[in-house]
Amino acid sequence: MVTTDITPIKIQKSSNLRIKELDYNKITFGKLFSDHMFYADYKNNEWSDAQILPYGPLLMSPATSALHYGQAIFEGMKAYKNDKGEVFLFRPLDNHKRINISAERMAMATIPQEVFMSGLTQLVDLDRDWVPDTDGSSLYIRPFIVGTDEFIGVKPSDNYRFYIITSPAGKYYNEPVKVLVETNYIRAVEGGVGYVKASGNYGRSLFPAKLAQQRGYHQIVWTDARNHRYLEESGTMNLMFVIDDVLITPPLGDTILAGITRDSVLTLARDWKMKVQERKISIDEVLDAHKKGTLEDAFGTGTAATIAQIAQIGFEGKDYMLPPAEGRIFSNRVAKELEDIRKGKVPDIHNWMYKVG
Ligand SMILES: *Cc1c(COP(=O)(O)O)cnc(C)c1O
């Protein structure tokens, strides 16, 4: 068991606040970072030196192990502000559990809940003015852990640093997305690391995504590594279809990231007595439903975009148009319900919202 004594967190406030640079009506994703950041160090088998300090560059050795062999994992989550100005995190304890699943798979130090949650809540509380309250906006939060040994032998690092940075976020996609079903490159394999948020998963996806973008698509739908028939994820989102009033999503396993948005959508669908199936779904089944007119909805789910409706699916040189996004019953309803829960407009019956401060 890791021992931990990080309280109190040392806080050094910025003397040069940049909050005035934030135009609440023109928020772009992931470019502007809030005034402060958090970090804690893991050394001699324990987490210590937890601190909040002004956001900015840090000195590191060029031999830092994470830079060479990719012991680097992250989380993505959001804080929301309601009409009363109160700030809430969405299901943060689930992000904590997941970062430790990633840490274990990557042979990295896990992080105690107390370190994760106290760093998170104190940082967001200090920068609460950075949480926008306009429609569809939030504060995106990026916790991450990297190996920090100054050593270039291939082995698990003995030292780690856990950081949290935050960035105001508006809407991620402004329109329904066009996706290309990928049948050459792969994202994840059985026995691999597709189910964890390891940095390398994203680096490897960029080249195929770039090729798809050159052909006019927003992102790729990844298929199984063996046969390229079963649909797995869309970009960095989980994938869902509504066929004949049944909500279908690929089952969790080695190759699928267990999205918190995915789980939230499935939970709401079950609350609404909708039929839900977590099972393999092939491109053939989707195109067959498209032909019969029973493919009612298709969308990706993830923290950044929440619900990204799919307008068009490209497969083997043909494009298949889906029903107009505005008229889709399920994806529009669930997107609105999630936004309403997050902004405190409807009761939070599953206790997903975690109050800050
Ligand atoms: C983060 C992520 C998701 C979505 O997870 P959420 O918890 O809903 O944000 C889905 N797929 C991949 C590959 C991811 O990295």
Side-chain angles (χ1 to χ4, degrees), residues 58-341:
L58 292 165
L59 220 53
M60 71 163 115
S61 157
T64 297
S65 59
L67 299 177
H68 299 268
Y69 307 120
Q71 267 192 315
I73 55 176
F74 67 92
E75 269 305 319
M77 55 200 298
K78 282 176 169 177
Y80 300 84
K81 196 175 270 176
N82 68 17
D83 287 347
K84 290 184 235 152
E86 296 167 320
V87 173
F88 289 85
L89 299 163
F90 184 73
R91 305 187 64 175
L93 297 167
D94 293 296
N95 295 93
H96 169 254
K97 280 190 203 128
R98 193 168 64 185
I99 204 167
N100 280 345
I101 292 171
S102 298
E104 260 174 43
R105 179 60 181 83
M106 298 301 287
M108 297 169 67
T110 56
I111 186 114
Q113 182 176 310
E114 179 202 336
V115 181
F116 187 91
M117 291 305 296
S118 57
L120 183 64
T121 50
Q122 291 190 45
L123 178 69
V124 172
D125 200 18
L126 181 62
D127 278 342
R128 61 193 303 128
D129 289 349
W130 285 85
V131 187
D133 61 0
T134 45
D135 246 12
S137 70
S138 57
L139 184 71
Y140 184 80
I141 302 166
R142 168 54 56 87
F144 58 111
I145 309 178
V146 294
T148 53
D149 276 10
E150 187 174 6
F151 178 64
I152 51 169
V154 182
K155 73 163 197 54
S157 188
D158 290 325
N159 300 284
Y160 294 90
R161 184 170 275 182
F162 169 55
Y163 293 90
I164 309 174
I165 57 175
T166 71
S167 171
K171 283 204 170 83
Y172 198 75
Y173 291 108
N174 294 315
E175 49 177 359
V177 295
K178 298 179 188 173
V179 299
L180 177 67
V181 177
E182 176 63 61
T183 54
N184 180 29
Y185 298 100
I186 56 172
R187 188 191 84 88
V189 293
E190 283 156 40
V193 297
Y195 70 102
V196 303
K197 286 183 113 69
S199 304
N201 285 343
Y202 306 85
R204 68 185 288 174
S205 74
L206 298 178
F207 180 66
K210 187 172 90 175
L211 296 180
Q213 279 154 17
Q214 284 167 354
R215 294 170 56 190
Y217 298 95
H218 292 97
Q219 60 174 252
I220 280 173
V221 169
W222 299 103
T223 52
D224 72 281
R226 281 179 206 276
N227 303 310
H228 291 300
R229 295 321 282 187
Y230 293 103
L231 307 177
E232 300 210 314
E233 297 209 43
S234 174
T236 58
M237 294 187 292
N238 294 111
L239 192 55
M240 302 207 179
F241 297 91
V242 179
I243 297 176
D244 245 345
D245 298 338
V246 180
L247 180 64
I248 306 167
T249 193
L252 298 180
D254 280 1
T255 61
I256 308 274
L257 195 291
I260 294 165
T261 318
R262 175 188 182 278
D263 184 72
S264 307
V265 169
L266 297 182
T267 300
L268 292 174
R270 287 175 176 129
D271 286 353
W272 297 336
K273 307 282 184 261
M274 186 166 180
K275 199 164 170 202
V276 173
Q277 295 178 346
E278 294 178 68
R279 62 160 172 87
K280 290 187 174 195
I281 178 164
S282 67
I283 183 62
D284 311 275
E285 178 179 351
V286 170
L287 295 185
D288 190 49
H290 180 266
K291 200 159 138 194
K292 288 190 196 139
T294 54
L295 177 59
E296 296 155 21
D297 211 337
F299 54 96
T301 69
T303 294
T306 305
I307 303 291
Q309 292 170 314
I310 294 172
Q312 182 181 324
I313 300 176
F315 178 65
E316 291 183 341
K318 279 206 196 116
D319 284 308
Y320 301 85
M321 305 301 295
L322 273 65
E326 319 79 67
R328 298 193 202 164
I329 295 165
F330 184 73
S331 56
N332 287 315
R333 181 178 180 197
V334 82
K336 177 163 190 311
E337 183 73 10
L338 282 171
E339 172 77 7
D340 287 351
I341 292 170

